[in-house]
């Protein structure tokens, strides 16, 4: 007699959250901390390629809620995509951050991004389906990209000036 072992694996898609300050200088940093840092310092934002690449950005607080649900459920096993299922282009991400910063800063020095040659090996479309999490756990992420961006930009404005 062996007890059943439930194992859950998560594929995390483009996580972001409040503690992004240490990522801004890395060449491999996520685009959100780079854009926020550049807007904060009135520097130009670089976009590699045409900006139509799609990403599925997930707010880390949503992941915490899901992990709490997993700990309470303990019935299911499997590998699941943790994503919103709502991909956003890098151009639209830039516009969303610019819109938020335009309300904070009266003068945005670089309202348009600087387009650079696409990086070799860059994945053009990186997003997933969260249908299995919805079906098995009845869970959907709660935080829209715009709401999550407003949270972290407000946090940074209050504590990192």
């Amino acid at each position: 007699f062996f007890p059943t072992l439930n194992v859950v694996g998560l594929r995390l898609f483009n996580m972001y959250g409040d503690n992004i300050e240490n990522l801004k200088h890395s060449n491999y940093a996520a685009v959100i901390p780079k854009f926020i840092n550049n807007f904060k310092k009135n520097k130009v934002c670089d976009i590699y390629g045409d900006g139509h690449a799609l990403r599925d950005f997930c707010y880390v607080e949503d992941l915490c809620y899901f992990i709490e649900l997993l700990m309470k459920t303990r019935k299911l096993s499997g590998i699941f995509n943790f994503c919103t299922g709502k991909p956003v282009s890098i151009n639209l991400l830039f516009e969303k951050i610019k819109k938020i910063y335009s309300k904070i800063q009266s003068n945005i020095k670089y309202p348009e991004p600087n387009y650079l040659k696409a990086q070799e090996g860059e994945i053009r479309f990186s997003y997933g389906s969260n249908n299995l999490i919805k079906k098995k756990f009845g869970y959907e992420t709660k935080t829209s990209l715009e709401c999550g961006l407003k949270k972290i930009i407000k946090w940074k404005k209050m504590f990192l000036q």
Side-chain angles (χ1 to χ4, degrees), residues 50-109:
D50 60 11
H52 296 294
L54 296 177
R55 298 291 181 266
D56 193 335
F57 296 102
C58 301
Y59 192 58
V60 70
E61 201 171 271
D62 289 336
L63 177 61
C64 294
Y65 291 134
F66 183 67
I67 290 173
E68 187 177 350
L69 175 68
L70 283 176
M71 291 187 320
K72 289 177 183 174
T73 305
R74 292 188 180 185
K75 302 185 239 183
L76 298 172
S77 293
I79 299 174
F80 303 93
N81 291 336
F82 188 83
C83 57
T84 66
K86 300 172 186 163
V88 173
S89 74
I90 301 302
N91 285 330
L92 184 56
L93 173 67
F94 175 86
E95 290 300 322
K96 286 180 180 290
I97 295 173
K98 180 174 85 171
K99 181 179 176 184
I100 295 166
Y101 264 94
S102 68
K103 293 178 182 175
I104 296 170
Q105 298 173 198
S106 58
N107 179 28
I108 293 179
K109 189 173 179 181

Side-chain angles (χ1 to χ4, degrees), residues 12-24:
L12 307 179
F13 283 74
N14 298 289
M15 301 303 299
Y16 71 99
D18 295 341
N19 192 11
I20 59 174
E21 188 66 17
N22 60 343
L23 297 175
K24 67 185 181 191

